[in-house]
Amino acid sequence: MAKKNILYRSKLKNAKKLLSENKLEEADKILSSLCLQSPKDIDVWSCLGYIAGNKHEYARAIDCFEQALRIEPENTKIMFNYGIALRDSGQFDSAIEVFVKLQKKSPHNTEILDCLAHAYMGSGYLDDAENIFNESLRINPNQPETHSNLGSVYQTKGELSKAEDCYREALRLNPGLNIYDNLGSVLISQGRYKESIEIFRSGLIKEPRNARVYSNLLLTLN
C-alpha cells in the first residue's frame, strides 16, 4: 500500500511539474489516470480543471471544479477558478453567484471584484458592473485596467465624457495599455475628429502593427 502511495505521489508531482512547464497534454494524460485511482483527490481535480480551462474545454473544466468542490465546498481558490470557467463558458449568472459568494468572504480582493464586474457585464447588468469597478477603484485607485474596464462600461452606456476620463486616467497610469482605439472611438462619437487622429497616431507609435487602430486612423482621416 505504501509503495502504491509513493508511486501515486510521484506521478502527481510529475504532472504538476509538467503543468508548470505548460506541457498541458502530458500533464492531462497523467492526471486523467490519477483521478480514476483516487477520485477524492482535490489536487487532481483542480489541476484537471485548470488544464481544461486553458484548453477552452469549459464544460469539462466546470465538471472538474464541481468535483473538487464536492470534496471541499469552501475552497476559495477552486471557487474562484470555477467562477472563471462559468464566466468564460457564457454562464454569467452562475458565475455572478460564485463571485458574490467570494466577495463576501474577501470584500477587499480587487481580483474577485474585477471578475464579478466582468460577469455583470456579460449578463448586461451594466449598472452593477459600474458599481463594482468603482468599488475596486476605491480600494486601489491605481489600477489602469480597472479604469479602462469602467470606461468600457460608460462607453456602452453612452456616457462618453465619463468613458473618456476613465480611458485617459488608464493611459496616464499605464501609457502602454492597448486602449487608444477605445479612446479614439469615444472622441469620434463626440465629433472630435482631430483629437481622435492624434490618439490613433499615439496608439500606432506604441503598437505599429495594430491593424484596428490603423484602420480607424485611415477612416477618420478620410
Side-chain angles (χ1 to χ4, degrees), residues 8-9 11 21 29 41 52 64-65 84-85 106 111 114-116 118 136 169-170 172-175 183-184 193 195 207:
Y8 178 90
R9 290 296 158 194
K11 288 182 178 179
E21 295 169 351
K29 186 176 180 180
D41 190 329
C64 289
F65 290 131
I84 290 174
S106 303
E111 191 174 10
D114 180 75
C115 288
L116 174 57
H118 276 96
S136 182
E169 179 62 11
R172 185 188 70 81
L173 291 167
N174 180 7
L183 177 55
Y193 301 108
E195 291 177 70
E207 289 189 289

Side-chain angles (χ1 to χ4, degrees), residues 53-68:
N54 273 269
K55 292 166 69 177
H56 306 295
E57 298 172 1
Y58 299 121
R60 183 183 173 216
I62 289 166
D63 180 64
C64 289
F65 290 131
E66 286 178 347
Q67 294 279 4

Side-chain angles (χ1 to χ4, degrees), residues 114 118 121 133 144-154 167 170:
D114 180 75
H118 276 96
M121 287 179 72
F133 280 135
E145 291 82 5
T146 305
H147 283 286
S148 173
N149 290 328
L150 181 57
S152 295
V153 172
Y154 285 134
Y167 290 142

Side-chain angles (χ1 to χ4, degrees), residues 40-186:
K40 291 189 177 181
D41 190 329
I42 193 169
D43 266 1
V44 173
W45 289 116
S46 179
C47 289
L48 280 171
Y50 175 83
I51 290 170
N54 273 269
K55 292 166 69 177
H56 306 295
E57 298 172 1
Y58 299 121
R60 183 183 173 216
I62 289 166
D63 180 64
C64 289
F65 290 131
E66 286 178 347
Q67 294 279 4
L69 288 170
R70 288 190 189 102
I71 301 163
E72 202 171 309
E74 298 302 315
N75 186 307
T76 55
K77 182 178 179 181
I78 293 172
M79 285 173 64
F80 181 78
N81 289 330
Y82 178 49
I84 290 174
L86 288 167
R87 184 198 67 192
D88 290 348
S89 72
Q91 299 181 52
F92 299 113
D93 287 346
S94 296
I96 288 168
E97 289 181 20
V98 174
F99 291 129
V100 165
K101 187 175 181 180
L102 284 169
Q103 183 198 10
K104 290 176 180 176
K105 292 175 178 289
S106 303
H108 301 297
N109 187 316
T110 56
E111 191 174 10
I112 292 170
L113 291 172
D114 180 75
C115 288
L116 174 57
H118 276 96
Y120 277 134
M121 287 179 72
S123 281
Y125 305 139
L126 297 181
D127 290 341
D128 291 308
E130 176 188 341
N131 291 336
I132 294 298
F133 280 135
N134 275 316
E135 175 62 23
S136 182
L137 290 172
R138 278 191 286 272
I139 295 167
N140 179 7
N142 296 318
Q143 302 177 84
E145 291 82 5
T146 305
H147 283 286
S148 173
N149 290 328
L150 181 57
S152 295
V153 172
Y154 285 134
Q155 186 174 3
T156 304
K157 292 174 70 175
E159 299 180 29
L160 302 179
S161 180
K162 289 182 178 180
E164 179 187 347
D165 289 343
C166 288
Y167 290 142
R168 288 193 185 278
E169 179 62 11
L171 288 171
R172 185 188 70 81
L173 291 167
N174 180 7
L177 207 60
N178 182 19
I179 58 169
Y180 289 90
D181 184 59
N182 304 57
L183 177 55
S185 296
V186 165

